[in-house]
Amino acid sequence: MEIILSQDDKKLCGYDEINNKIIKNSSSVVAPFLEILFNASMKQGEFPDCFKLAQVTPLFKGGNKSDLGCYRPISLLPALSKILEKVIQVRVMNFLTEQKVISDHQFGFRPKFSTEYAILDIYEKLIHNLDQSHSSCAIFLDLAKAFDTVSHEILLQKLEVYGIRGNCLKLFESYLKDRYQFVKLDNEKSTISLIEFGVPQGSILGPLLFLLFINDLPSATNLFVKLYADDTFLCAQNKDMQLLENEVNLELNKVYDWMCSNKLTLNILKSKYMIITKKRKIENISVQINSVELEQCNSYKYLGVMFDKDLNWKSHIEYICGKISKSVGGLAMLRHRTSISVLREVYHALINSYVKYGILIWGNACKSALQPLNVILNKVVRIMTFAPYGPLDLKPIYRELEFLNLHETFLLERAKFMFKKKNDLLPTTIANYFDIEAQPEHSYDLRRRPNNNDRFRSNTATGNKSIQNEGENLWRELPTYLKDLESLTTFKKHYKLHLLETE
């Protein structure tokens, strides 16, 4: 069916004219119009109806084409709608930041925060527990269609509690109300359906609204909590395994009660737990939520990184090797048909991107664990340069390509992290690592002690792997001229040159 906007809607937003101007990047026309539209929306507390219609396009992910579960719905909204939403989002986020509303346990969709920092926070917690001779129960929860099942009524109640009131609250109520969508596949369109739940997919404000919806989850439990949007990690620790089991099950009941109160559904089959301990003999424990037992696992992929029960990163390194091995054959064929500069671009896009991601955390694995990845990277360099196999010093070839080897890539990422720390570019949660000391056994979290500048003092070799120790040692050894650089981009460039020039 053809989607037709009312004349009032067209008159309200200048639909045809403005969208044509956006396509032509005519900001001189769009900017004044947006200012008028934003002021009108804030004054009246209404979001234009013509911006609340989404076109959903199914994207095939693989598998059986007749199975609807093998498609990912991509929601498309008017371009002008996203610009207006961005204006609102910036102002609301400024307010939330000033009032410190969003939990420090949330790493998703926030300035300075990232998936890598969420992974780092979890890793630091786990090795701290091992250093204190605690066993950890790490729980990975999978929420079923969390973004699509948000209750508008509950969300608006939470917005009011967080200080979004008056016309601003009315604007969000209008934004969520009377939203419609239709499915387009090839040239066929479905009928329009009303959206009664969830935050708008493909929107600018959707992720922010979800953060506020799930914001109070950490306060519902005493477990260590880390969130990246709906990706939820929970952890408890204890020296006694039986006490650990009791504690985890008690706290998971609280988490389940919170989910029921907020009308969210847990995917029990995809939610798992892992025991991380130094004990050779592990007692069997049962971890349950709503009287349903969770599956225990030895490794789990969380935010793109494979955590394993020994924290030796062998599972993740094997995962990376599998990913980049698929690109090696392509490089071998491509090298006969293109220049070295193109090969370098392909290398950075298809290989180095996998290597760099999360290396800040897993790059301190032992040499034997890293060896398979080193072998593949050396093979890639040989392929790109037609270097012969056999005994050969590859360091000059790495230098000619201006590539860093695996260990140097790790050093660069650690150095960048320390530069951000010294220049206040890190999230407060992460920067506080350098202002804490070991906590008492009953503590669930690593809490900041504002007047204490002592670093975490490790008791074991495991504890020494903490970025608090390794990062400070690396920074201390850097040349002074690198430490005095003012921008991260300049620091990265000069430190890479420093590594390439170091024999």
Side-chain angles (χ1 to χ4, degrees):
M1 64 174 292
E2 193 66 26
I3 305 303
I4 301 175
L5 295 174
S6 69
Q7 293 301 319
D8 290 339
D9 283 341
K10 290 186 177 182
K11 184 177 180 181
L12 174 64
C13 66
Y15 190 84
D16 296 326
E17 179 182 355
I18 294 301
N19 274 292
N20 289 336
K21 294 294 184 181
I22 288 178
I23 293 173
K24 296 178 181 178
N25 287 324
S26 181
S27 59
S28 61
V29 173
V30 174
F33 171 80
L34 277 175
E35 184 177 356
I36 295 172
L37 185 57
F38 174 76
N39 291 334
S41 297
M42 288 300 298
K43 185 176 181 180
Q44 300 171 11
E46 294 182 2
F47 195 83
D49 287 338
C50 60
F51 292 164
K52 294 192 280 187
L53 178 64
Q55 173 186 302
V56 178
T57 302
L59 182 66
F60 183 60
K61 297 186 295 185
N64 184 1
K65 288 191 175 183
S66 62
D67 183 2
L68 296 181
C70 294
Y71 292 83
R72 177 180 289 111
I74 305 298
S75 180
L76 304 176
L77 291 168
L80 190 57
S81 167
K82 293 190 176 183
I83 301 175
L84 177 59
E85 287 187 48
K86 186 62 179 180
V87 175
I88 300 171
Q89 188 259 358
V90 168
R91 298 198 181 191
V92 173
M93 181 59 84
N94 287 340
F95 167 77
L96 297 173
T97 302
E98 289 175 4
Q99 300 301 316
K100 299 181 180 179
V101 171
I102 301 180
S103 170
D104 284 339
H105 303 287
Q106 176 62 259
F107 283 70
F109 311 116
R110 301 179 63 190
K112 293 186 179 181
F113 288 79
S114 68
T115 55
E116 288 186 275
Y117 290 156
I119 297 164
L120 174 63
D121 206 0
I122 293 170
Y123 177 65
E124 290 285 309
K125 173 64 175 175
L126 295 176
I127 63 172
H128 171 79
N129 288 345
L130 289 177
D131 187 70
Q132 300 296 308
S133 300
H134 286 84
S135 297
S136 299
C137 180
I139 305 149
F140 305 91
L141 296 184
D142 185 272
L143 302 184
K145 299 186 180 298
F147 280 74
D148 297 329
T149 56
V150 169
S151 166
H152 293 171
E153 180 182 357
I154 296 175
L155 173 58
L156 291 170
Q157 290 173 359
K158 292 189 177 187
L159 292 181
E160 188 171 11
V161 170
Y162 294 140
I164 299 175
R165 303 180 183 122
N167 282 345
C168 189
L169 183 61
K170 286 178 60 181
L171 177 62
F172 278 108
E173 184 177 5
S174 172
Y175 175 78
L176 294 169
K177 185 180 179 182
D178 296 332
R179 298 195 74 94
Y180 295 87
Q181 67 181 16
F182 68 95
V183 178
K184 181 178 180 181
L185 185 60
D186 296 328
N187 294 321
E188 298 296 326
K189 297 178 182 178
S190 72
T191 56
I192 297 178
S193 299
L194 176 66
I195 304 173
E196 299 182 280
F197 296 93
V199 295
Q201 295 291 320
S203 66
I204 301 297
L205 287 172
L208 174 60
L209 291 174
F210 183 80
L211 294 192
L212 293 173
F213 187 80
I214 204 172
N215 192 55
D216 57 328
L217 171 57
S219 63
T221 175
N222 288 321
L223 294 173
F224 175 89
V225 181
K226 281 294 163 281
L227 300 166
Y228 191 90
D230 61 329
D231 290 306
T232 306
F233 172 87
L234 307 172
C235 180
Q237 66 283 326
N238 204 298
K239 291 184 177 180
D240 185 279
M241 198 65 72
Q242 187 60 52
L243 292 177
L244 178 61
E245 178 183 357
N246 296 338
E247 179 184 319
V248 167
N249 288 317
L250 175 65
E251 294 300 325
L252 282 180
N253 284 333
K254 296 179 183 179
V255 173
Y256 181 75
D257 289 341
W258 180 91
M259 290 185 177
C260 290
S261 299
N262 288 274
K263 300 182 180 180
L264 291 177
T265 305
L266 183 67
N267 191 330
I268 296 289
L269 295 179
K270 292 185 178 181
S271 299
K272 299 182 181 182
Y273 76 95
M274 183 189 306
I275 300 299
I276 300 168
T277 182
K278 287 185 175 180
K279 294 180 179 180
R280 294 184 178 180
K281 185 178 180 180
I282 304 177
E283 304 170 25
N284 291 327
I285 70 171
S286 174
V287 175
Q288 300 181 357
I289 187 164
N290 190 31
S291 301
V292 179
E293 189 165 350
L294 297 184
E295 179 185 348
Q296 184 176 355
C297 62
N298 293 327
S299 64
Y300 190 92
K301 185 180 178 183
Y302 183 75
L303 298 179
V305 170
M306 297 291 295
F307 281 87
D308 59 78
K309 65 181 182 65
D310 298 316
L311 295 183
N312 57 24
W313 302 113
K314 288 183 179 179
S315 297
H316 183 66
I317 293 167
E318 182 180 347
Y319 166 75
I320 298 175
C321 289
K323 285 291 185 179
I324 65 178
S325 292
K326 298 176 182 178
S327 303
V328 174
L331 274 175
M333 293 186 290
L334 192 61
R335 65 176 179 169
H336 297 285
R337 297 173 173 83
T338 190
S339 64
I340 190 65
S341 60
V342 173
L343 290 177
R344 288 174 60 185
E345 293 295 327
V346 173
Y347 168 82
H348 286 296
L350 301 182
I351 295 176
N352 197 44
S353 58
Y354 281 109
V355 174
K356 285 178 60 180
Y357 181 71
I359 197 172
L360 176 68
I361 302 97
W362 58 264
N364 63 358
C366 65
K367 290 184 178 180
S368 60
L370 293 169
Q371 183 58 22
L373 184 54
N374 272 314
V375 169
I376 292 182
L377 293 178
N378 289 340
K379 181 179 179 180
V380 168
V381 168
R382 290 177 187 270
I383 289 174
M384 291 176 63
T385 59
F386 295 88
Y389 287 88
L392 179 68
D393 183 10
L394 294 177
K395 193 168 186 178
I397 301 179
Y398 272 95
R399 297 299 179 259
E400 181 182 347
L401 293 171
E402 296 183 352
F403 286 176
L404 298 178
N405 61 33
L406 187 60
H407 180 64
E408 291 166 341
T409 301
F410 169 65
L411 292 179
L412 176 60
E413 294 304 310
R414 278 282 165 101
K416 285 165 56 181
F417 176 88
M418 291 305 302
F419 180 89
K420 291 180 181 179
K421 187 271 170 185
K422 300 297 181 182
N423 291 275
D424 296 324
L425 300 175
L426 291 175
T428 303
T429 306
I430 303 298
N432 284 351
Y433 287 159
F434 300 86
D435 298 316
I436 62 176
E437 61 181 9
Q439 299 295 305
E441 293 181 5
H442 64 272
S443 175
Y444 291 102
D445 204 346
L446 303 178
R447 304 183 187 278
R448 185 180 184 188
R449 299 185 176 182
N451 298 320
N452 185 1
N453 292 323
D454 292 335
R455 291 191 296 117
F456 159 57
R457 296 185 179 90
S458 60
N459 300 316
T460 65
T462 301
N464 287 336
K465 292 184 178 181
S466 167
I467 199 168
Q468 301 165 50
N469 292 305
E470 289 192 343
E472 288 286 9
N473 293 336
L474 173 62
W475 187 259
R476 194 179 300 114
E477 295 172 0
L478 288 183
T480 303
Y481 80 92
L482 288 174
K483 299 178 185 178
D484 294 338
L485 295 173
E486 296 184 356
S487 79
L488 179 61
T489 302
T490 306
F491 175 81
K492 176 183 175 181
K493 176 182 177 181
H494 285 274
Y495 185 60
K496 182 177 179 179
L497 290 174
H498 172 74
L499 290 172
L500 290 172
E501 293 169 358
T502 303
E503 293 296 332

